[in-house]
Amino acid sequence: MAESLDIIILTYNEEKNIEACLKSTLPLNSNIYIVDSGSTDNTLAICRKFTGNIFDHPFENYAAQRNWALANLPLQGTWIFNVDADHRISEELALELNAILSTQTDADLNGFLISRRTIFMDKWIKHGGHYPTYHANMFRRGYGSCEDKLYDQHFLVNGRTKILKGDIIDIITDSINTFVTRHNHWATLEAQYQFAKKNKPDSTELIQPKFWGNPMQRRRYLKNKYESFPLFVRPVIYFLIRYFIKLGFLDGKTGFVFHFLQGFWFRMMIDIKVYELQKTDSKPDELKA
């Protein structure tokens, strides 16, 4: 018996991305749900050409928005697929998903891990340990949620997962200015998280770090190991491993720009912001205002 699919897409002023995203979902026989947070451009007009399931909800953070959508949308499908506006469903993934949806899956299989294919300045970043990178974007309705984190949130799946071969194509920026602005904001959020984490252990509702676990658990294990290294030293070590040992240099000039910005500059900005928080916290209370 065939199984049904609901696709959830979060939007905010995504007129440059949303049409290509929605077109890439057309090969899938799915119900599309848009959760918008106050777009003022043509995003919603474009969305209405593809679906009438458009909902408005104020944006707090990505985790809260995704979990609100899971809890409040009139979802009907057997499976839920979470897609970002700058994502594209590859032809290979669409074929793979249609094959899965055409039959009844095992009752204990509750999620699928799908790799992102990062496209930066029109180039596929294949090296530096950046591909494949798996995320549990698709799960059985009622068996998934989003981690309650301000940055680097992953979907949690209750039950067995399976790795798929097809990719989500991730168009991560329309310009270097956009990339830098976004990552500066995300560096602030990640710094706040790392600083607060010193005094508060991770929740059991986050992905649990396991070296021998699934790809997401292994990645979280390695991230925790990275965070145990000293500030300002760890970005240097990480970049050297990523660019030389993991062959990031094979991505050419465009790859160098990406690996430098995302693998060194971004992480150094996090450390600088953590250091700033530590300096502020060490001041006497009367000087903290």
Side-chain angles (χ1 to χ4, degrees):
M1 183 175 66
E3 298 183 332
S4 54
L5 177 68
D6 290 337
I7 295 178
I8 300 174
I9 304 175
L10 306 185
T11 59
Y12 174 70
N13 288 345
E14 290 286 357
E15 64 180 5
K16 293 181 179 179
N17 284 310
I18 193 61
E19 186 158 10
C21 173
L22 289 166
K23 283 182 177 178
S24 76
T25 69
L26 292 180
L28 298 169
N29 183 19
S30 62
N31 297 310
I32 299 172
Y33 295 84
I34 304 293
V35 179
D36 189 74
S37 50
S39 290
T40 56
D41 61 2
N42 291 321
T43 296
L44 297 183
I46 296 170
C47 290
R48 291 188 189 100
K49 296 190 292 185
F50 295 85
T51 179
N53 297 319
I54 299 175
F55 300 82
D56 183 77
H57 186 258
F59 186 86
E60 180 181 349
N61 58 62
Y62 285 105
Q65 194 79 333
R66 288 181 170 121
N67 287 326
W68 180 90
L70 293 171
N72 292 279
L73 295 180
L75 303 171
Q76 302 282 328
T78 311
W79 296 94
I80 296 172
F81 190 7
N82 296 274
V83 178
D84 291 345
D86 53 5
H87 288 171
R88 315 286 183 261
I89 310 304
S90 67
E91 293 181 7
E92 298 83 0
L93 179 58
L95 289 171
E96 192 173 10
L97 291 179
N98 282 332
I100 291 169
L101 295 170
S102 66
T103 60
Q104 189 166 4
T105 54
D106 295 340
D108 69 332
L109 179 61
N110 289 336
F112 294 100
L113 304 184
I114 306 171
S115 181
R116 291 184 184 175
R117 185 190 307 174
T118 296
I119 306 298
F120 177 80
M121 296 176 69
D122 301 321
K123 182 178 179 62
W124 178 6
I125 304 298
K126 297 181 181 180
H127 303 95
H130 204 71
Y131 179 85
T133 302
Y134 292 96
H135 299 265
N137 293 69
M138 182 169 162
F139 44 78
R140 195 181 295 275
R141 180 160 56 91
Y143 289 84
S145 62
C146 185
E147 292 181 297
D148 185 15
K149 291 183 65 182
L150 294 177
Y151 170 72
D152 194 31
Q153 314 91 346
H154 289 262
F155 289 102
L156 294 160
V157 176
N158 181 16
R160 183 167 68 91
T161 59
K162 178 181 178 181
I163 294 175
L164 297 184
K165 296 178 180 178
D167 298 334
I168 293 173
I169 301 170
D170 188 3
I171 314 295
I172 65 170
T173 188
D174 58 355
S175 71
I176 294 297
N177 283 339
T178 300
F179 182 94
V180 169
T181 300
R182 287 178 176 175
H183 280 74
N184 182 49
H185 173 64
W186 293 336
T188 300
L189 299 179
E190 179 64 11
Q192 291 170 349
Y193 171 75
Q194 290 188 22
F195 178 73
K197 186 179 174 182
K198 295 288 185 180
N199 302 314
K200 180 182 177 183
D202 271 345
S203 166
T204 56
E205 295 181 357
L206 300 181
I207 289 174
Q208 297 305 296
K210 294 180 182 179
F211 184 79
W212 298 112
N214 66 40
M216 292 195 307
Q217 291 172 325
R218 187 179 305 115
R219 187 179 177 197
R220 185 57 55 82
Y221 172 88
L222 294 173
K223 186 174 187 293
N224 286 355
K225 286 294 182 184
Y226 169 87
E227 291 175 8
S228 69
F229 279 76
L231 295 180
F232 310 126
V233 173
R234 56 191 190 177
V236 176
I237 296 173
Y238 177 72
F239 175 75
L240 292 175
I241 292 173
R242 178 165 157 172
Y243 194 69
F244 293 103
I245 297 176
K246 293 192 174 183
L247 308 181
F249 64 86
L250 293 179
D251 288 317
K253 291 180 180 178
T254 301
F256 172 76
V257 174
F258 176 77
H259 291 300
F260 176 80
L261 288 176
Q262 206 269 347
F264 177 74
W265 173 82
F266 172 54
R267 283 160 176 79
M268 185 60 76
M269 286 298 296
I270 292 171
D271 282 10
I272 292 169
K273 290 170 186 281
V274 170
Y275 179 68
E276 181 182 39
L277 290 170
Q278 291 174 344
K279 294 276 285 183
T280 301
D281 188 61
S282 65
K283 290 180 179 179
D285 289 341
E286 61 269 18
L287 299 178
K288 289 183 180 180

